[in-house]
């Protein structure tokens, strides 16, 4: 099961894992069907599962709130006396929580649009008091309010985040059968699998920052990094030293070994972005540096002789980003990283068609500064360091020049897609970065607008 948990964190199965999983007992169970839907990215289909439909089939009490009904049904489903059946039920609820969080992110950020309706899985009696969809939507948003801070009113499908919070946060003590569930639910993990990522996503919806979410995010990320579960969490204060050491060992086991470095990089990057959101710049930089150390990349802003315009006669110093691997180090288990996008599916590289400025800097010794073939996690590290650099430096012409060095490097490497679909948000983000840095250069903005 540990291998499947890692694969779920990663988002896909390798060929060897897929063969092993199909021959295992989990594949034949109802949770196995939901796992396959998760790996296929068909999160909406999870709500059509007969097992999930049965969870919310009971009629609600008179004038019962939606959140109390959901929590009551989920807890009742998990409180099963049969041990074998209970393990399967915990898997199903955990997958429902993860799928809900993934579907919420898809609906509000990554796309495509989600067509899920509440009537598809909730009893009509629970919704009969809401004559207008707007009223129902506003009611659910109020249930997500923390510390009195308003929630963004245009949030799509807030019921998905509500379900994810009930399962991954409120009911986490009921998910004891998962091998690493205490670690998944108490620290921040990639791919939306934990309470802290649920809170991190939740924090993005608030019009103001929530102290409660900030506390949870800080505890979740720092706890693993500093191994202070014992003092941070009240439930751990009753643990013996042996039990606590076992818990930390389980956490470390998830990230040790060549097969887990991908998850370790993503964990530190996710932690860094959470710290950045709450202006914890020192902690964020520490996490970015830990991710860079794992990949063993050398990322430096340096100078190199080159030409930037068509009419330059002499090479002059240009600021570039030099990315190299330490001693030619190659990361193991490349099959566990998302495959590069085929060239025919990459976005078109538009020429600037500028009378003066070249399409890119022409270096005197271009071979010396060739960017190596980078995997998806390595590109994410470069992007993270770029964002950290931007957040930690004041607005200045030199800062813009330094950020352009990062942007140009990101344009030279291939775009990676997690699930095989076109990652339009990556293209838009890169174009947005370049556009903001080239605000006063109209000719450079025209091809970017055409690209978008």
């Amino acid at each position: 099961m540990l291998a499947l948990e890692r694969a779920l964190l990663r988002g896909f199965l390798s060929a060897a894992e897929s063969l092993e999983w199909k021959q295992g007992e989990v594949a034949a169970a109802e949770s196995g069907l939901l796992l396959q839907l998760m790996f296929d990215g068909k999160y909406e289909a999870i709500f059509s599962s007969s097992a999930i439909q049965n969870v919310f089939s009971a009629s609600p009490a008179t004038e019962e709130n939606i959140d109390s009904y959901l929590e009551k049904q989920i807890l009742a489903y998990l409180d099963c006396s049969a041990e074998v059946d209970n393990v399967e039920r915990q898997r199903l609820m955990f997958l429902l929580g993860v799928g809900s969080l993934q579907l919420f992110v898809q609906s509000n950020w990554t796309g495509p649009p989600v067509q899920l309706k509440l009537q598809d899985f909730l009893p009509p009696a629970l919704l009969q008091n809401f004559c207008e969809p707007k009223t129902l939507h506003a009611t659910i948003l109020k249930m997500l309010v923390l510390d009195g801070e308003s929630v963004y009113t245009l949030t799509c499908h807030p019921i998905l985040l509500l379900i994810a919070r009930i399962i991954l946060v409120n009911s986490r003590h009921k998910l004891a059968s998962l091998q690493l569930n205490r670690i998944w639910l108490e620290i921040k993990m990639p791919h939306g699998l934990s309470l802290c990522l649920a809170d991190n996503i939740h924090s993005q919806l608030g019009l103001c920052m929530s102290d409660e979410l900030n506390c949870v995010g800080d505890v979740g990320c720092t706890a693993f990094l500093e191994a202070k579960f014992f003092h941070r969490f009240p439930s751990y204060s009753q643990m013996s030293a042996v039990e606590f050491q076992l818990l930390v060992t389980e956490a470390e086991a998830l990230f040790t070994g060549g097969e887990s470095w991908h998850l370790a990089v993503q964990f530190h990057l996710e932690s860094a972005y959470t710290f950045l959101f709450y202006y914890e710049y020192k902690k964020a930089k520490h996490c970015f540096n830990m991710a860079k150390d794992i990949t063993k990349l050398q990322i430096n802003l340096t100078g190199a002789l080159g030409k930037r315009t068509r009419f330059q006669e002499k090479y002059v110093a240009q600021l570039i980003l030099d990315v190299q691997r330490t001693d030619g180090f190659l990361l193991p288990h490349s099959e566990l990283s998302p495959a590069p996008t085929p060239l025919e599916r990459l976005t078109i590289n538009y020429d600037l068609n500028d009378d003066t400025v070249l399409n890119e800097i022409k270096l005197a010794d271009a071979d010396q500064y060739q960017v190596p073939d980078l995997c998806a996690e390595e590109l994410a590290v470069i992007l993270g360091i770029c964002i950290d650099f931007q957040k930690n430096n004041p607005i200045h012409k030199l800062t813009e020049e330094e950020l352009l060095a990062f942007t140009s490097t990101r344009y030279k490497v291939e775009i990676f897609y997690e699930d095989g679909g076109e990652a339009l948000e990556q293209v838009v983000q890169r174009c947005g970065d370049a556009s903001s840095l080239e605000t006063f250069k109209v000719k450079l903005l025209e091809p970017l607008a055409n690209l978008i």
Side-chain angles (χ1 to χ4, degrees):
M1 190 61 189
L2 177 59
L4 282 179
E5 292 178 17
R6 284 175 174 165
L8 189 58
L9 284 170
R10 192 189 317 124
F12 61 92
L13 287 165
S14 65
E17 289 173 335
S18 179
L19 180 61
E20 182 180 355
W21 175 65
K22 290 178 181 179
Q23 297 174 349
E25 60 180 15
V26 179
E30 187 73 26
S31 59
L33 299 178
L34 265 63
L35 268 171
Q36 187 60 58
L37 292 174
M38 292 285 295
F39 290 133
D40 294 341
K42 299 177 181 178
Y43 306 119
E44 284 189 68
I46 293 175
F47 289 87
S48 302
S49 166
S50 58
I52 302 303
Q53 294 276 343
N54 291 335
V55 175
F56 305 114
S57 60
S59 299
T62 305
E63 297 183 357
E64 186 174 15
N65 293 331
I66 294 177
D67 54 347
S68 60
Y69 170 80
L70 292 173
E71 186 162 357
K72 182 185 72 175
Q73 292 302 116
I74 290 170
L75 291 176
Y77 184 80
L78 290 172
D79 288 334
C80 176
S81 57
E83 182 177 353
V84 176
D85 189 38
N86 194 26
V87 171
E88 172 67 7
R89 291 182 176 220
Q90 290 179 35
R91 290 175 187 159
L92 287 171
M93 286 300 95
F94 183 77
L95 291 172
L96 174 61
V98 173
S100 298
L101 197 57
Q102 294 279 28
L103 197 57
F104 180 77
V105 172
Q106 175 184 322
S107 175
N108 288 275
W109 281 283
T110 64
V114 174
Q115 306 299 327
L116 184 69
K117 298 180 180 179
L118 295 182
Q119 295 82 352
D120 296 339
F121 63 96
L122 292 181
L126 187 64
L127 308 175
Q128 63 182 1
N129 295 329
F130 303 97
C131 301
E132 295 290 335
K134 292 183 179 179
T135 306
L136 177 58
H137 186 267
T139 301
I140 298 175
L141 287 180
K142 288 181 180 178
M143 297 173 183
L144 294 172
V145 171
L146 293 176
D147 299 331
E149 304 294 351
S150 300
V151 177
Y152 184 53
T153 56
L154 297 182
T155 300
C156 298
H157 299 91
I159 187 67
L160 297 171
L161 182 59
L162 182 62
I163 294 174
R165 284 191 62 83
I166 290 174
I167 296 175
L168 300 178
V169 180
N170 301 352
S171 307
R172 62 186 184 275
H173 60 285
K174 293 287 186 178
L175 304 175
S177 66
L178 296 173
Q179 290 180 316
L180 294 173
N181 88 291
R182 290 180 297 181
I183 306 304
W184 287 22
L185 300 175
E186 301 293 359
I187 65 173
K188 185 178 190 305
M189 298 294 290
H191 293 290
L193 297 186
S194 74
L195 111 83
C196 288
L197 188 50
D199 283 308
N200 190 17
I201 292 172
H202 195 163
S203 66
Q204 305 295 324
L205 306 180
L207 299 180
C208 298
M209 293 185 179
S210 167
D211 291 335
E212 181 177 340
L213 293 179
N214 184 14
C215 179
V216 173
D218 178 69
V219 170
C221 299
T222 308
F224 183 82
L225 295 174
E226 300 180 358
K228 292 181 179 177
F229 292 90
F230 192 81
H231 302 289
R232 294 291 187 118
F233 295 105
S235 60
Y236 295 144
S237 61
Q238 307 300 322
M239 283 186 178
S240 66
V242 175
E243 290 174 327
F244 177 70
Q245 185 59 43
L246 178 61
L247 174 62
V248 175
T249 302
E250 287 180 353
E252 293 174 345
L254 179 62
F255 291 147
T256 55
E259 297 181 4
S260 302
W261 71 264
H262 311 79
L263 300 180
V265 170
Q266 293 177 51
F267 165 74
H268 291 301
L269 291 177
E270 291 280 3
S271 300
Y273 286 124
T274 299
F275 287 133
L276 278 182
F277 184 79
Y278 289 103
Y279 306 114
E280 298 279 357
Y281 294 120
K282 290 185 178 179
K283 294 179 180 179
K285 184 178 290 292
H286 175 67
C287 291
F288 282 128
N289 288 334
M290 291 187 72
K292 186 181 73 170
D293 292 343
I294 293 174
T295 58
K296 299 189 183 301
L297 287 179
Q298 293 180 336
I299 305 172
N300 300 298
L301 285 167
T302 186
L305 292 177
K307 297 179 181 179
R308 184 171 292 191
T309 67
R310 301 180 187 276
F311 305 107
Q312 278 184 242
E313 296 182 358
K314 297 181 179 180
Y315 289 103
V316 297
Q318 305 289 341
L319 185 64
I320 64 170
L321 185 70
D322 184 26
V323 179
Q324 301 294 333
R325 288 196 175 96
T326 304
D327 300 327
F329 174 79
L330 292 177
L331 290 163
H333 298 283
S334 59
E335 74 279 2
L336 301 180
S337 182
T341 305
L343 293 177
E344 60 272 12
R345 295 186 59 187
L346 290 174
T347 52
I348 301 173
N349 188 13
Y350 276 84
D351 292 333
L352 295 178
N353 294 324
D354 191 272
D355 297 335
T356 306
V357 181
L358 295 171
N359 287 330
E360 60 183 29
I361 297 175
K362 183 180 179 181
L363 298 177
D365 188 4
D367 294 338
Q368 182 180 353
Y369 299 101
Q370 284 290 335
V371 179
D373 291 333
L374 303 174
C375 68
E377 288 80 7
E378 291 172 317
L379 291 176
V381 170
I382 295 175
L383 175 59
I385 292 176
C386 174
I387 293 175
D388 178 63
F389 184 90
Q390 184 182 29
K391 297 288 186 182
N392 283 277
N393 289 274
I395 299 176
H396 190 274
K397 284 292 183 183
L398 179 59
T399 304
E400 293 181 0
E401 189 73 17
E402 291 165 330
L403 291 175
L404 277 173
F406 279 96
T407 304
S408 61
T409 300
R410 286 159 57 198
Y411 269 103
K412 292 178 182 179
V413 294
E414 295 177 273
I415 302 174
F416 287 77
Y417 306 98
E418 183 176 336
D419 297 315
E422 185 172 0
L424 180 59
E425 69 278 3
Q426 296 186 34
V427 180
V428 173
Q429 182 180 9
R430 294 195 305 169
C431 291
D433 292 346
S435 298
S436 63
L437 295 172
E438 301 283 7
T439 304
F440 301 104
K441 301 178 183 179
V442 178
K443 289 187 177 181
L444 296 183
L445 291 178
E446 289 177 354
L448 290 173
N450 293 333
L451 179 59
I452 296 176

